[in-house]
Amino acid sequence: MNTGPDTGSYTSSVTAGPGGAMTDEVGVVTGDLTVRTTLTDDGHRACVAVQYTGADEWYTLTGSPAPIPDGGLAAYHRDLLGRIRRGQGATAT
């Protein structure tokens, strides 16, 4: 997991499981993805974007922005990566 300079964002590579991850723009994305989780200005929600690894286009993960649990942004990002690995149309919430 890579962090930004202010730890207000995390970017990681992940392989989506069967059924992939659901996006607002193109529906389900599968395969090798890059996931970027960024803290909103209010500090209570996370914006999540995904892209096919190596592509230029980013897509909004359905349900984003999502509330951040008590564990903070890093914990949310780790949990999200696990859900995307499991697939089944993973969303931000």
Side-chain angles (χ1 to χ4, degrees):
M1 178 167 58
N2 299 321
T3 62
D6 60 359
T7 64
S9 88
Y10 294 88
T11 302
S12 300
S13 297
V14 64
T15 300
M22 182 63 70
T23 69
D24 290 347
E25 296 85 359
V26 297
V28 173
V29 292
T30 60
D32 294 332
L33 304 174
T34 301
V35 179
R36 181 178 62 212
T37 305
T38 306
L39 191 62
T40 59
D41 289 340
D42 68 11
H44 298 288
R45 296 176 297 150
C47 291
V48 183
V50 297
Q51 71 176 177
Y52 290 106
T53 300
D56 293 328
E57 300 85 13
W58 286 92
Y59 306 113
T60 303
L61 193 66
T62 299
S64 173
I68 298 172
D70 291 339
L73 187 63
Y76 172 80
H77 184 77
R78 281 190 303 272
D79 177 67
L80 179 63
L81 294 175
R83 288 187 278 135
I84 292 171
R85 283 185 189 101
R86 287 189 295 278
Q88 302 173 5
T91 65
T93 55

Coordinates of all heavy atoms in Angstrom, one line a residue:
M1 N 0.9 -1.2 0.0 CA 0.0 0.0 0.0 C 0.9 1.2 0.0 O 1.8 1.4 0.8 CB -0.9 0.0 1.2 CG -1.8 1.1 1.4 SD -3.1 0.9 2.6 CE -2.2 0.6 4.1
N2 N 0.7 2.1 -0.9 CA 1.4 3.4 -1.0 C 0.6 4.5 -0.4 O -0.6 4.6 -0.6 CB 1.7 3.7 -2.5 CG 2.6 2.7 -3.1 OD1 3.5 2.1 -2.5 ND2 2.3 2.4 -4.4
T3 N 1.3 5.4 0.3 CA 0.6 6.5 0.9 C 1.0 7.8 0.3 O 2.1 7.9 -0.3 CB 0.9 6.6 2.4 OG1 2.3 6.8 2.6 CG2 0.5 5.4 3.2
G4 N 0.2 8.7 0.3 CA 0.5 10.1 -0.1 C 1.3 10.8 0.9 O 1.5 10.3 2.1
P5 N 1.9 11.9 0.6 CA 2.7 12.7 1.6 C 2.0 13.0 2.9 O 2.6 13.1 3.9 CB 3.2 13.9 0.8 CG 2.3 14.0 -0.4 CD 1.7 12.7 -0.6
D6 N 0.7 13.2 2.8 CA 0.0 13.6 4.0 C -0.9 12.5 4.6 O -1.7 12.7 5.4 CB -0.9 14.8 3.7 CG -1.9 14.5 2.6 OD1 -2.0 13.4 2.1 OD2 -2.7 15.4 2.3
T7 N -0.7 11.3 4.0 CA -1.5 10.1 4.4 C -3.0 10.3 4.3 O -3.8 9.7 4.9 CB -1.1 9.5 5.8 OG1 -1.5 10.4 6.8 CG2 0.3 9.1 5.8
G8 N -3.3 11.3 3.4 CA -4.7 11.6 3.1 C -5.2 10.8 1.9 O -6.3 10.9 1.5
S9 N -4.3 10.0 1.4 CA -4.7 9.1 0.3 C -3.8 7.9 0.2 O -2.6 7.9 0.7 CB -4.6 9.9 -1.1 OG -3.4 9.8 -1.7
Y10 N -4.4 6.8 -0.3 CA -3.7 5.5 -0.4 C -3.9 5.0 -1.8 O -5.0 5.1 -2.3 CB -4.2 4.5 0.6 CG -3.8 4.9 2.0 CD1 -4.7 5.7 2.7 CD2 -2.7 4.5 2.6 CE1 -4.4 6.1 4.0 CE2 -2.3 4.9 3.9 CZ -3.2 5.7 4.6 OH -2.9 6.1 5.9
T11 N -2.9 4.4 -2.4 CA -3.0 3.8 -3.8 C -2.4 2.5 -3.7 O -1.2 2.3 -3.3 CB -2.3 4.7 -4.8 OG1 -2.9 6.0 -4.8 CG2 -2.5 4.1 -6.2
S12 N -3.1 1.4 -4.2 CA -2.6 0.1 -4.2 C -3.1 -0.7 -5.4 O -4.1 -0.3 -6.1 CB -3.2 -0.7 -3.0 OG -2.8 -0.1 -1.8
S13 N -2.3 -1.7 -5.8 CA -2.7 -2.6 -6.9 C -3.4 -3.8 -6.3 O -3.0 -4.3 -5.2 CB -1.5 -3.1 -7.6 OG -0.8 -2.0 -8.2
V14 N -4.4 -4.3 -7.0 CA -5.1 -5.5 -6.5 C -5.7 -6.2 -7.7 O -6.0 -5.6 -8.8 CB -6.3 -5.0 -5.5 CG1 -7.3 -4.2 -6.3 CG2 -6.9 -6.2 -4.9
T15 N -5.9 -7.5 -7.6 CA -6.6 -8.3 -8.6 C -8.0 -8.6 -8.1 O -8.1 -9.2 -7.1 CB -5.8 -9.6 -8.9 OG1 -4.5 -9.3 -9.4 CG2 -6.5 -10.4 -10.0
A16 N -8.9 -8.1 -8.9 CA -10.3 -8.3 -8.5 C -10.7 -9.7 -8.6 O -10.4 -10.4 -9.6 CB -11.2 -7.4 -9.4
G17 N -11.5 -10.2 -7.6 CA -12.0 -11.5 -7.6 C -13.2 -11.7 -8.6 O -13.6 -10.7 -9.3
P18 N -13.8 -12.9 -8.7 CA -14.9 -13.1 -9.6 C -16.0 -12.2 -9.3 O -16.4 -11.9 -8.2 CB -15.3 -14.6 -9.2 CG -14.1 -15.2 -8.5 CD -13.4 -14.1 -7.9
G19 N -16.5 -11.5 -10.4 CA -17.5 -10.5 -10.3 C -17.0 -9.1 -10.1 O -17.8 -8.2 -10.2
G20 N -15.7 -9.0 -9.9 CA -15.0 -7.7 -9.9 C -15.5 -6.6 -9.0 O -16.0 -6.9 -7.9
A21 N -15.3 -5.4 -9.4 CA -15.7 -4.2 -8.6 C -16.7 -3.4 -9.5 O -16.5 -3.2 -10.7 CB -14.5 -3.4 -8.2
M22 N -17.7 -2.8 -8.8 CA -18.7 -2.0 -9.5 C -18.4 -0.6 -9.6 O -18.0 0.0 -8.6 CB -20.1 -2.2 -8.8 CG -21.2 -1.5 -9.5 SD -21.6 -2.1 -11.2 CE -22.3 -3.7 -10.8
T23 N -18.4 0.0 -10.8 CA -18.2 1.5 -11.0 C -19.4 2.2 -11.4 O -20.3 1.5 -12.1 CB -17.0 1.7 -12.0 OG1 -17.5 1.3 -13.3 CG2 -15.8 0.9 -11.6
D24 N -19.5 3.5 -11.2 CA -20.6 4.3 -11.7 C -20.6 4.4 -13.2 O -21.6 4.5 -13.8 CB -20.6 5.7 -11.0 CG -20.9 5.6 -9.5 OD1 -21.4 4.6 -9.0 OD2 -20.6 6.7 -8.9
E25 N -19.4 4.6 -13.8 CA -19.3 4.9 -15.2 C -19.4 3.7 -16.1 O -20.0 3.9 -17.2 CB -18.0 5.7 -15.5 CG -17.8 7.0 -14.7 CD -17.3 6.8 -13.3 OE1 -17.0 5.7 -12.9 OE2 -17.1 7.9 -12.7
V26 N -18.8 2.6 -15.8 CA -18.7 1.5 -16.8 C -19.2 0.2 -16.2 O -19.1 -0.9 -16.9 CB -17.3 1.3 -17.4 CG1 -16.9 2.6 -18.1 CG2 -16.3 1.0 -16.3
G27 N -19.8 0.2 -15.1 CA -20.3 -1.1 -14.5 C -19.1 -1.8 -13.9 O -18.2 -1.2 -13.3
V28 N -19.1 -3.1 -14.0 CA -18.1 -4.0 -13.4 C -16.8 -3.9 -14.1 O -16.7 -4.0 -15.3 CB -18.6 -5.5 -13.3 CG1 -17.6 -6.4 -12.8 CG2 -19.9 -5.6 -12.4
V29 N -15.7 -3.8 -13.3 CA -14.4 -3.9 -13.8 C -13.7 -5.1 -13.1 O -14.0 -5.4 -12.0 CB -13.5 -2.6 -13.6 CG1 -14.1 -1.5 -14.4 CG2 -13.5 -2.2 -12.1
T30 N -12.9 -5.8 -13.9 CA -12.3 -7.0 -13.4 C -10.8 -7.0 -13.7 O -10.3 -6.2 -14.5 CB -12.9 -8.3 -14.1 OG1 -12.7 -8.2 -15.5 CG2 -14.4 -8.4 -13.8
G31 N -10.1 -8.0 -13.2 CA -8.7 -8.1 -13.5 C -7.8 -7.3 -12.6 O -8.1 -7.0 -11.4
D32 N -6.6 -6.9 -13.1 CA -5.6 -6.1 -12.3 C -6.1 -4.7 -12.3 O -6.2 -4.0 -13.3 CB -4.3 -6.3 -13.0 CG -3.7 -7.7 -12.9 OD1 -4.1 -8.4 -11.9 OD2 -2.9 -8.1 -13.7
L33 N -6.3 -4.2 -11.1 CA -6.8 -2.8 -10.9 C -5.8 -2.0 -10.0 O -5.1 -2.6 -9.2 CB -8.2 -2.9 -10.2 CG -9.3 -3.6 -10.9 CD1 -10.5 -3.7 -10.1 CD2 -9.6 -3.1 -12.3
T34 N -5.9 -0.7 -10.1 CA -5.3 0.2 -9.2 C -6.4 0.9 -8.5 O -7.3 1.4 -9.1 CB -4.4 1.2 -9.9 OG1 -3.3 0.5 -10.6 CG2 -3.7 2.1 -8.9
V35 N -6.3 0.9 -7.1 CA -7.3 1.5 -6.3 C -6.7 2.7 -5.6 O -5.7 2.6 -4.9 CB -7.9 0.5 -5.3 CG1 -8.9 1.1 -4.4 CG2 -8.4 -0.7 -6.0
R36 N -7.4 3.9 -5.7 CA -7.0 5.1 -5.0 C -8.1 5.5 -4.0 O -9.2 5.8 -4.4 CB -6.7 6.2 -6.0 CG -6.2 7.5 -5.3 CD -5.9 8.6 -6.3 NE -7.1 8.9 -7.1 CZ -7.0 9.3 -8.4 NH1 -5.9 9.4 -9.0 NH2 -8.2 9.6 -9.0
T37 N -7.7 5.6 -2.8 CA -8.7 6.0 -1.7 C -8.2 7.4 -1.2 O -7.1 7.5 -0.7 CB -8.7 5.0 -0.6 OG1 -9.0 3.7 -1.2 CG2 -9.8 5.3 0.5
T38 N -9.0 8.4 -1.2 CA -8.6 9.7 -0.8 C -9.6 10.3 0.2 O -10.9 10.2 0.0 CB -8.6 10.7 -2.0 OG1 -7.8 10.1 -3.0 CG2 -8.1 12.1 -1.6
L39 N -9.1 10.9 1.3 CA -9.9 11.5 2.3 C -10.6 12.7 1.8 O -10.0 13.5 1.1 CB -9.0 11.8 3.5 CG -9.7 12.2 4.8 CD1 -10.5 11.1 5.4 CD2 -8.6 12.7 5.8
T40 N -11.9 12.9 2.1 CA -12.6 14.1 1.7 C -12.2 15.2 2.6 O -11.6 15.0 3.7 CB -14.1 13.9 1.7 OG1 -14.5 13.6 3.1 CG2 -14.6 12.8 0.8
D41 N -12.5 16.5 2.2 CA -12.1 17.6 3.0 C -12.7 17.6 4.4 O -12.1 18.2 5.3 CB -12.6 18.9 2.2 CG -11.7 19.2 1.0 OD1 -10.6 18.6 0.9 OD2 -12.2 19.9 0.1
D42 N -13.9 17.0 4.5 CA -14.5 17.0 5.9 C -13.9 16.0 6.8 O -14.1 16.0 8.0 CB -16.0 16.8 5.8 CG -16.4 15.4 5.3 OD1 -15.6 14.5 5.2 OD2 -17.6 15.2 5.0
G43 N -13.0 15.1 6.2 CA -12.3 14.1 7.0 C -13.1 12.9 7.5 O -12.6 12.1 8.3
H44 N -14.3 12.8 7.0 CA -15.2 11.7 7.5 C -15.6 10.7 6.4 O -16.2 9.7 6.7 CB -16.5 12.3 8.1 CG -16.3 13.2 9.2 ND1 -15.9 12.7 10.5 CD2 -16.3 14.6 9.4 CE1 -15.8 13.7 11.3 NE2 -16.0 14.9 10.7
R45 N -15.2 11.0 5.2 CA -15.6 10.1 4.1 C -14.4 9.9 3.2 O -13.4 10.7 3.2 CB -16.7 10.7 3.2 CG -18.0 10.8 4.0 CD -19.1 11.5 3.3 NE -18.7 12.9 3.0 CZ -19.1 13.5 1.9 NH1 -20.0 13.0 1.1 NH2 -18.7 14.8 1.7
A46 N -14.4 8.8 2.4 CA -13.4 8.5 1.4 C -13.9 8.4 0.0 O -15.0 7.8 -0.2 CB -12.8 7.1 1.8
C47 N -13.2 9.1 -0.9 CA -13.5 9.0 -2.3 C -12.7 7.8 -2.8 O -11.5 7.8 -2.6 CB -13.2 10.3 -3.0 SG -14.3 11.6 -2.6
V48 N -13.3 6.9 -3.6 CA -12.6 5.8 -4.1 C -12.7 5.8 -5.6 O -13.8 5.8 -6.2 CB -13.2 4.5 -3.5 CG1 -12.3 3.3 -4.0 CG2 -13.2 4.5 -2.0
A49 N -11.5 5.7 -6.3 CA -11.4 5.6 -7.7 C -10.6 4.3 -8.1 O -9.7 3.9 -7.3 CB -10.8 6.8 -8.3
V50 N -11.0 3.7 -9.2 CA -10.3 2.5 -9.6 C -10.0 2.7 -11.1 O -10.6 3.4 -11.8 CB -11.1 1.2 -9.5 CG1 -11.4 0.9 -8.0 CG2 -12.4 1.2 -10.2
Q51 N -8.9 2.0 -11.5 CA -8.5 2.0 -13.0 C -7.9 0.7 -13.3 O -7.4 0.0 -12.4 CB -7.6 3.1 -13.3 CG -6.2 2.9 -12.8 CD -5.2 4.0 -13.2 OE1 -4.1 3.9 -12.7 NE2 -5.5 4.9 -14.0
Y52 N -8.0 0.3 -14.5 CA -7.3 -0.9 -15.0 C -5.8 -0.5 -14.9 O -5.4 0.6 -15.3 CB -7.6 -1.3 -16.4 CG -9.0 -1.8 -16.6 CD1 -10.0 -1.1 -17.1 CD2 -9.3 -3.1 -16.1 CE1 -11.3 -1.6 -17.3 CE2 -10.6 -3.6 -16.3 CZ -11.6 -2.9 -16.8 OH -12.8 -3.4 -17.0
T53 N -5.0 -1.3 -14.2 CA -3.6 -1.0 -14.0 C -2.9 -0.7 -15.3 O -3.1 -1.4 -16.3 CB -2.9 -2.2 -13.3 OG1 -3.5 -2.4 -12.0 CG2 -1.4 -1.9 -13.1
G54 N -2.3 0.5 -15.3 CA -1.6 1.0 -16.5 C -2.5 1.8 -17.4 O -1.9 2.4 -18.4
A55 N -3.8 1.9 -17.2 CA -4.7 2.7 -18.0 C -4.6 4.2 -17.6 O -4.1 4.5 -16.5 CB -6.1 2.2 -18.0
D56 N -5.2 5.1 -18.4 CA -5.3 6.5 -18.1 C -6.6 6.8 -17.3 O -6.6 7.7 -16.5 CB -5.2 7.3 -19.3 CG -3.8 7.3 -20.0 OD1 -2.8 7.1 -19.2 OD2 -3.8 7.4 -21.2
E57 N -7.7 6.1 -17.6 CA -9.0 6.5 -17.1 C -9.2 5.9 -15.7 O -8.9 4.8 -15.4 CB -10.1 5.9 -18.0 CG -10.1 6.3 -19.4 CD -9.1 5.5 -20.3 OE1 -8.7 4.4 -19.9 OE2 -8.9 6.0 -21.4
W58 N -9.8 6.8 -14.9 CA -10.2 6.4 -13.5 C -11.7 6.4 -13.5 O -12.4 7.2 -14.1 CB -9.7 7.5 -12.5 CG -8.2 7.4 -12.2 CD1 -7.2 8.1 -12.9 CD2 -7.6 6.5 -11.3 NE1 -6.0 7.7 -12.4 CE2 -6.2 6.8 -11.4 CE3 -8.0 5.6 -10.3 CZ2 -5.2 6.2 -10.6 CZ3 -7.1 5.0 -9.5 CH2 -5.7 5.3 -9.6
Y59 N -12.2 5.5 -12.7 CA -13.7 5.3 -12.5 C -14.0 5.4 -11.0 O -13.3 4.9 -10.2 CB -14.2 4.0 -13.1 CG -13.7 3.7 -14.5 CD1 -12.8 2.7 -14.8 CD2 -14.3 4.5 -15.5 CE1 -12.4 2.5 -16.1 CE2 -13.9 4.3 -16.8 CZ -12.9 3.3 -17.1 OH -12.6 3.1 -18.4
T60 N -15.2 5.9 -10.8 CA -15.7 6.1 -9.4 C -16.2 4.7 -8.9 O -17.1 4.2 -9.6 CB -16.8 7.1 -9.3 OG1 -16.3 8.4 -9.8 CG2 -17.3 7.3 -7.9
L61 N -15.7 4.2 -7.8 CA -16.3 3.0 -7.3 C -17.7 3.3 -6.7 O -17.8 4.3 -6.0 CB -15.4 2.4 -6.2 CG -15.7 1.0 -5.7 CD1 -15.4 0.0 -6.9 CD2 -14.8 0.6 -4.5
T62 N -18.7 2.5 -7.1 CA -20.0 2.7 -6.7 C -20.1 2.8 -5.1 O -19.5 2.0 -4.5 CB -21.0 1.6 -7.2 OG1 -20.9 1.7 -8.6 CG2 -22.4 1.8 -6.7
G63 N -20.8 3.8 -4.7 CA -20.9 4.0 -3.2 C -20.0 5.1 -2.7 O -20.0 5.5 -1.5
S64 N -19.1 5.6 -3.5 CA -18.1 6.6 -3.1 C -18.7 8.0 -3.3 O -19.4 8.2 -4.3 CB -16.9 6.5 -4.0 OG -16.0 7.5 -3.8
P65 N -18.5 8.9 -2.4 CA -17.7 8.8 -1.2 C -18.4 8.0 -0.1 O -19.7 8.0 0.0 CB -17.5 10.2 -0.7 CG -18.6 11.0 -1.4 CD -19.0 10.3 -2.6
A66 N -17.6 7.3 0.7 CA -18.1 6.3 1.7 C -17.7 6.8 3.1 O -16.6 7.3 3.2 CB -17.7 4.9 1.4
P67 N -18.5 6.5 4.1 CA -18.1 6.9 5.4 C -16.9 6.0 5.9 O -16.7 4.9 5.5 CB -19.3 6.5 6.3 CG -20.3 5.9 5.4 CD -19.8 5.9 4.0
I68 N -16.0 6.7 6.6 CA -14.8 6.0 7.1 C -15.1 5.5 8.5 O -15.6 6.2 9.4 CB -13.6 7.0 7.2 CG1 -13.3 7.5 5.8 CG2 -12.4 6.3 7.8 CD1 -12.3 8.6 5.7
P69 N -14.8 4.2 8.8 CA -15.0 3.6 10.1 C -14.0 4.2 11.1 O -13.0 4.9 10.8 CB -14.8 2.1 9.9 CG -13.9 2.0 8.7 CD -14.2 3.2 7.8
D70 N -14.2 3.8 12.4 CA -13.3 4.3 13.5 C -11.9 4.1 13.2 O -11.0 4.8 13.7 CB -13.8 3.7 14.8 CG -15.1 4.2 15.2 OD1 -15.5 5.3 14.8 OD2 -15.8 3.6 16.0
G71 N -11.5 3.0 12.5 CA -10.1 2.7 12.3 C -9.3 3.6 11.4 O -8.1 3.5 11.3
G72 N -10.0 4.5 10.8 CA -9.4 5.5 9.9 C -9.3 5.1 8.5 O -9.7 4.0 8.0
L73 N -8.7 6.0 7.7 CA -8.6 5.8 6.2 C -7.7 4.6 5.9 O -8.1 3.8 5.0 CB -8.0 7.1 5.6 CG -8.0 7.1 4.0 CD1 -9.4 7.0 3.5 CD2 -7.3 8.3 3.5
A74 N -6.6 4.4 6.5 CA -5.7 3.2 6.2 C -6.5 1.9 6.4 O -6.4 1.0 5.6 CB -4.5 3.2 7.1
A75 N -7.2 1.8 7.5 CA -8.0 0.6 7.8 C -9.1 0.4 6.7 O -9.3 -0.7 6.3 CB -8.6 0.6 9.2
Y76 N -9.8 1.5 6.4 CA -10.8 1.4 5.4 C -10.2 0.9 4.0 O -10.8 0.1 3.4 CB -11.4 2.8 5.2 CG -12.4 2.8 4.0 CD1 -13.7 2.3 4.1 CD2 -12.0 3.3 2.8 CE1 -14.5 2.3 3.0 CE2 -12.8 3.3 1.7 CZ -14.1 2.8 1.8 OH -14.9 2.8 0.7
H77 N -9.1 1.5 3.7 CA -8.4 1.1 2.4 C -8.0 -0.4 2.4 O -8.3 -1.1 1.4 CB -7.2 2.0 2.2 CG -6.5 1.7 0.9 ND1 -7.0 2.3 -0.3 CD2 -5.4 1.1 0.6 CE1 -6.2 1.9 -1.3 NE2 -5.2 1.2 -0.8
R78 N -7.5 -0.9 3.5 CA -7.1 -2.3 3.6 C -8.3 -3.2 3.4 O -8.3 -4.2 2.7 CB -6.4 -2.6 4.9 CG -4.9 -2.2 4.9 CD -4.2 -2.7 6.1 NE -4.8 -2.3 7.4 CZ -4.5 -1.2 8.0 NH1 -3.6 -0.4 7.5 NH2 -5.1 -0.9 9.2
D79 N -9.4 -2.8 4.1 CA -10.7 -3.6 4.1 C -11.2 -3.6 2.7 O -11.7 -4.6 2.1 CB -11.7 -3.0 5.1 CG -13.0 -3.7 5.0 OD1 -13.1 -4.9 5.3 OD2 -14.0 -3.1 4.5
L80 N -11.2 -2.4 2.0 CA -11.7 -2.3 0.7 C -10.9 -3.2 -0.3 O -11.5 -3.9 -1.1 CB -11.6 -0.8 0.2 CG -12.0 -0.5 -1.2 CD1 -13.5 -0.8 -1.4 CD2 -11.7 1.0 -1.5
L81 N -9.6 -3.2 -0.2 CA -8.8 -4.1 -1.0 C -9.2 -5.6 -0.8 O -9.3 -6.3 -1.8 CB -7.3 -3.9 -0.7 CG -6.7 -2.6 -1.0 CD1 -5.2 -2.5 -0.6 CD2 -6.8 -2.3 -2.5
G82 N -9.5 -6.0 0.4 CA -10.0 -7.3 0.6 C -11.3 -7.6 0.0 O -11.5 -8.7 -0.6
R83 N -12.2 -6.6 0.0 CA -13.5 -6.8 -0.6 C -13.4 -6.9 -2.1 O -14.0 -7.7 -2.8 CB -14.5 -5.7 -0.2 CG -14.9 -5.8 1.2 CD -16.0 -4.8 1.6 NE -15.4 -3.6 1.9 CZ -15.8 -2.4 1.5 NH1 -16.8 -2.3 0.7 NH2 -15.2 -1.3 1.9
I84 N -12.5 -6.1 -2.7 CA -12.3 -6.2 -4.2 C -11.6 -7.5 -4.6 O -12.0 -8.1 -5.6 CB -11.4 -5.0 -4.7 CG1 -12.3 -3.7 -4.5 CG2 -11.0 -5.1 -6.1 CD1 -11.5 -2.4 -4.7
R85 N -10.7 -8.0 -3.7 CA -10.1 -9.3 -4.0 C -11.2 -10.4 -4.0 O -11.0 -11.4 -4.8 CB -9.0 -9.7 -3.0 CG -7.7 -8.9 -3.2 CD -6.7 -9.4 -2.2 NE -5.5 -8.6 -2.3 CZ -5.2 -7.6 -1.4 NH1 -6.0 -7.3 -0.3 NH2 -4.2 -6.8 -1.6
R86 N -12.2 -10.3 -3.2 CA -13.3 -11.3 -3.1 C -14.2 -11.1 -4.3 O -14.9 -12.0 -4.7 CB -14.0 -11.1 -1.8 CG -13.3 -11.7 -0.7 CD -14.1 -11.8 0.6 NE -14.5 -10.5 1.1 CZ -13.8 -9.7 1.9 NH1 -12.5 -10.0 2.2 NH2 -14.3 -8.6 2.4
G87 N -14.3 -9.8 -4.9 CA -15.1 -9.6 -6.1 C -16.5 -9.4 -5.7 O -16.9 -8.6 -4.8
Q88 N -17.4 -10.1 -6.5 CA -18.8 -10.0 -6.3 C -19.4 -8.6 -6.4 O -20.3 -8.2 -5.7 CB -19.2 -10.6 -4.9 CG -18.7 -12.1 -4.7 CD -19.0 -12.6 -3.3 OE1 -19.6 -11.9 -2.5 NE2 -18.5 -13.8 -3.1
G89 N -18.9 -7.8 -7.4 CA -19.4 -6.5 -7.6 C -19.1 -5.6 -6.4 O -19.9 -4.8 -6.0
A90 N -17.9 -5.7 -5.8 CA -17.5 -4.9 -4.7 C -17.8 -3.4 -4.9 O -17.6 -2.9 -6.0 CB -16.0 -5.1 -4.4
T91 N -18.3 -2.8 -3.8 CA -18.6 -1.3 -3.8 C -17.8 -0.7 -2.7 O -17.2 -1.3 -1.8 CB -20.1 -1.1 -3.7 OG1 -20.5 -1.5 -2.4 CG2 -20.9 -1.7 -4.8
A92 N -17.9 0.7 -2.6 CA -17.2 1.4 -1.6 C -17.9 1.3 -0.2 O -17.2 1.6 0.8 CB -17.1 2.9 -2.0
T93 N -19.1 0.9 -0.2 CA -19.8 0.7 1.1 C -20.1 -0.7 1.4 O -20.1 -1.5 0.6 CB -21.1 1.6 1.1 OG1 -21.9 1.2 0.0 CG2 -20.8 3.0 1.0

